[in-house]
Amino acid sequence: MSLLKIKIYPSSVLRKRCEEIKEVNEEIKELARDMLETMYKHQGIGLAGPQVGVTKRIIVIDVGKGPLVLINPRIEEKSKENDYLLEGCLSLPKIYVKVKRAREIVVSGLDEQGQPVKFKARGLTARAIQHEIDHLSGVLIIDKTNFLRKVLLKLKLLLKRKND
Ligand code: NI
C-alpha cells in the first residue's frame, strides 16, 4: 500500500470527467486500497479518483461505519427530502460550503471485488456518496453555492495557495 498525493484546487484534474472502469483488476483493487489509506491519513470521510489524479470512476467512503468502495457508482433514486448541511473536501482545504443533498438515495455500482451492488443509503453516507460522485463529473462544493460566495471562496483559495 502507498499513500497518494491529494490534488488541491485549482488542479485541472479536479475538473475532468472520469471514465468508466472496464475491469476491476489488481491495479484497480490496489488503487482502492491506496485511496482508503490516503483518506484515513487525512481524516477524510470520502475520496474520489480525480482527487488522487486518477480520472476513473471510483470512490471510497468511510463515515465511521467501515470502508466502502464503489466503482462506476450511479445514483438510481433520490428522496424528495433534502438536507442542507456544511461540507468540506480534502481538495479544498479549510473551505466549508452548505450543500443541498437528497436525504436518501439508492446507489448502484461495483464493489472492490467487482461484484455488482445496489443499496439504499441515508444521512451522512448518502451525502458522502453524492459528494464523491460529483467529483467524477468534475463538480466541486464551491460550484454549489451562490455567485458572490463562489467568488469569495475562490479568492480565499487562491490567496491561501499563494501563502503556502
Ligand atoms: Ni471532495
Side-chain angles (χ1 to χ4, degrees), residues 46 51 88-91 131-132 135:
Q51 291 185 277
C89 179
L90 291 177
S91 294
H131 175 120
E132 300 312 329
H135 273 296

Side-chain angles (χ1 to χ4, degrees), residues 11-155:
S11 172
S12 63
V13 72
L14 295 172
R15 293 308 197 175
K16 295 269 159 41
R17 208 183 157 78
C18 297
E19 288 165 22
E20 292 274 314
I21 290 172
K22 299 259 167 26
E23 188 201 351
V24 181
N25 53 25
E26 275 315 307
E27 185 194 333
I28 297 295
K29 290 176 187 175
E30 192 182 338
L31 172 64
R33 289 192 293 269
D34 290 347
M35 284 174 66
L36 278 168
E37 190 189 358
T38 305
M39 178 189 79
Y40 289 127
K41 166 86 181 169
H42 291 88
Q43 287 151 2
I45 61 168
L47 199 61
Q51 291 185 277
V52 291
V54 178
T55 54
K56 292 191 165 116
R57 304 190 74 81
I58 179 169
I59 65 173
V60 299
I61 281 160
D62 190 340
V63 299
K65 297 177 182 170
L68 174 66
V69 175
L70 277 175
I71 291 158
N72 304 333
R74 221 179 98 99
I75 295 172
E76 304 281 353
E77 288 174 47
K78 280 185 180 184
S79 64
K80 285 200 188 74
E81 301 76 42
N82 297 302
D83 289 315
Y84 196 63
L85 296 169
L86 276 183
E87 287 182 18
C89 179
L90 291 177
S91 294
L92 299 160
K94 299 200 175 92
I95 296 290
Y96 300 93
V97 179
K98 265 196 169 177
V99 184
K100 187 170 107 178
R101 303 278 188 199
R103 188 173 295 166
E104 279 188 18
I105 56 170
V106 174
V107 64
S108 68
L110 302 173
D111 69 10
E112 68 279 10
Q113 299 300 325
Q115 297 301 311
V117 289
K118 187 176 175 183
F119 59 92
K120 188 183 265 192
R122 55 165 58 106
L124 188 55
T125 308
R127 174 166 294 268
I129 291 171
Q130 291 171 84
H131 175 120
E132 300 312 329
I133 290 178
D134 272 352
H135 273 296
L136 305 181
S137 308
V139 173
L140 302 171
I141 52 176
I142 45 169
D143 305 327
K144 304 259 176 184
T145 188
N146 66 49
F147 177 75
L148 187 59
R149 187 150 162 78
K150 200 176 296 182
V151 171
L152 289 170
L153 287 170
K154 284 188 176 172
L155 267 173

